Amino acid sequence: GQQVMQIPQYQHVQEGEDFTTYCNSSTTLSNIQWYKQRPGGHPVFLIQLVKSGEVKKQKRLTFQFGEAKKNSSLHITATQTTDVGTYFCAGTSLFRGSNYKLTFGKGTLLTVNP
Amino acid sequence: EPEVTQTPSHQVTQMGQEVILRCVPISNHLYFYWYRQILGQKVEFLVSFYNNEISEKSEIFDDQFSVERPDGSNFTLKIRSTKLEDSAMYFCASNPNGVETGELFFGEGSRLTVL
């Protein structure tokens, strides 16, 4: 079945440093979504990317969707302590055409040293 | 702002007991989901529900699991005979038009501990 891989599993940075997490799918994706989960919390939607090669920005966060629609990245510029949490990518498979299942990656846990 | 609500927030049960986790999705949403997250691990898909029937389920969702929408607002997950490995956080989520077109709105989760 569809697998979504994410690296790194953990990332510890000093406040002000940049952070990037990478996501790779075993199958071509219809779309990819990114979620943030604070410690002890629930996943909260950040963004959805649909088009091949799409780039979207939210303040210090930059999201990219690969040309082949199989990979994606999230980059945070100048991290702050409020960025702490686990960042998950999640995708729907293009060829299964599933509107019913979002498959999550394992997530990247970001910790920020003030 | 509308939100998905889940009860109970924490349930402790003995192995072999039945558990029902309850969810109230956002009122105008049509697609409902259950996910689970074992501590420190990824968010795993269990089942999706649309038009009063299961639309997709994972290999985790075996005969011990069932879902129901008993009325116009509640969406429940039942585990018939709990096992130790069912201990996890269970998240309910809803979505207006399906995940191809938009985000999942998650509840705060129900933590299940099986002793």
Side-chain angles (χ1 to χ4, degrees):
Chain A
Q2 181 191 11
Q3 292 186 38
V4 177
M5 285 77 66
Q6 241 183 296
I7 56 169
Q9 194 173 355
Y10 308 97
Q11 183 83 58
H12 178 73
V13 299
Q14 288 291 128
E15 191 171 21
E17 290 182 339
D18 292 356
F19 159 77
T20 305
T21 173
Y22 301 91
C23 182
N24 235 325
S25 170
S26 59
T27 60
T28 305
L29 298 170
S30 172
N31 72 76
I32 195 153
Q33 300 180 13
W34 284 90
Y35 291 78
K36 178 183 178 181
Q37 185 178 29
R38 293 186 187 277
H42 59 281
V44 175
F45 176 80
L46 294 175
I47 208 158
Q48 179 180 23
L49 304 169
V50 179
K51 297 177 187 173
S52 168
E54 190 170 13
V55 178
K56 285 188 175 180
K57 292 194 175 187
Q58 287 179 351
K59 296 182 181 178
R60 294 178 294 105
L61 277 61
T62 303
F63 303 84
Q64 291 189 321
F65 200 10
E67 294 289 341
K69 299 185 76 171
K70 293 184 77 171
N71 60 287
S72 181
S73 65
L74 157 60
H75 179 82
I76 302 178
T77 305
T79 53
Q80 299 174 358
T81 54
T82 52
D83 295 326
V84 163
T86 301
Y87 292 85
F88 292 98
C89 63
T92 58
S93 171
L94 177 65
F95 297 110
R96 287 204 61 184
S98 174
N99 205 18
Y100 308 116
K101 180 178 178 181
L102 194 61
T103 301
F104 280 74
K106 287 189 173 181
T108 297
L109 172 60
L110 172 65
T111 54
V112 180
N113 202 25
Chain B
E1 186 175 318
E3 58 183 22
V4 175
T5 57
Q6 288 186 243
T7 54
S9 56
H10 190 190
Q11 176 137 10
V12 181
T13 191
Q14 295 290 326
M15 191 169 56
Q17 294 296 304
E18 177 183 283
V19 159
I20 297 177
L21 306 178
R22 292 183 167 79
C23 170
V24 179
I26 295 173
S27 62
N28 62 341
H29 287 189
L30 302 177
Y31 294 76
F32 314 118
Y33 309 81
W34 282 101
Y35 281 79
R36 80 171 186 190
Q37 186 178 34
I38 295 169
L39 187 64
Q41 297 188 25
K42 72 172 181 178
V43 180
E44 296 178 290
F45 171 79
L46 291 178
V47 67
S48 56
F49 193 86
Y50 170 71
N51 202 25
N52 285 319
E53 61 183 20
I54 290 174
S55 39
E56 189 153 354
K57 60 183 181 179
S58 72
E59 56 277 5
I60 303 168
F61 195 88
D62 61 22
D63 292 344
Q64 292 300 311
F65 291 86
S66 62
V67 289
E68 202 176 37
R69 190 157 161 81
D71 52 45
S73 58
N74 289 285
F75 178 51
T76 62
L77 174 69
K78 183 194 287 188
I79 309 174
R80 266 181 265 283
S81 177
T82 50
K83 303 188 281 284
L84 294 175
E85 53 265 36
D86 294 327
S87 294
M89 181 72 90
Y90 288 80
F91 290 108
C92 175
S94 69
N95 173 286
N97 298 309
V99 290
E100 285 201 1
T101 55
E103 67 183 275
L104 286 180
F105 293 79
F106 282 89
E108 294 195 351
S110 293
R111 180 169 298 285
L112 176 64
T113 302
V114 182
L115 303 176

